[in-house]
Amino acid sequence: MSAIRKEMPDDELVRLVAALCDECLSESDRRKLEARLREDPDALRYCAERIRFESELAEPMSPPRKLEWSEPR
């Protein structure tokens, strides 16, 4: 049985992408991440997957846009 094993990204990439998703990426880290994403297709793929995951996770956790409450009197 041959299984395709995805390699885990390095700690630096994980840190940079996490900071991007948390919206706390410093200017110097932003430049590092941009360079990595330009040069490494696997890093770009990992970043895109994490952004998609964070987006899907945030959607059900967001409060409803309009909350209505009714009570019979």
Side-chain angles (χ1 to χ4, degrees):
M1 171 168 66
S2 68
I4 299 174
R5 182 180 165 262
K6 287 186 178 181
E7 287 191 34
M8 291 296 295
D10 60 89
D11 292 341
E12 176 77 357
L13 181 60
V14 171
R15 182 186 69 76
L16 292 170
V17 172
L20 174 68
C21 291
D22 291 340
E23 298 178 9
C24 63
L25 194 63
S26 70
E27 186 62 28
S28 63
D29 282 346
R30 182 189 59 80
R31 287 191 297 270
K32 286 180 194 175
L33 180 59
E34 287 175 352
R36 287 283 303 266
L37 298 180
R38 275 193 303 273
E39 298 167 3
D40 184 356
D42 291 331
L44 180 60
R45 192 173 307 110
Y46 171 76
C47 185
E49 289 171 359
R50 291 302 304 173
I51 291 171
R52 186 177 308 117
F53 174 77
E54 293 288 335
S55 172
E56 290 173 358
L57 184 63
E59 189 175 303
M61 296 182 76
S62 298
R65 295 195 188 272
K66 182 178 180 185
L67 183 60
E68 293 183 21
W69 188 276
S70 63
E71 290 184 22
R73 298 218 177 224

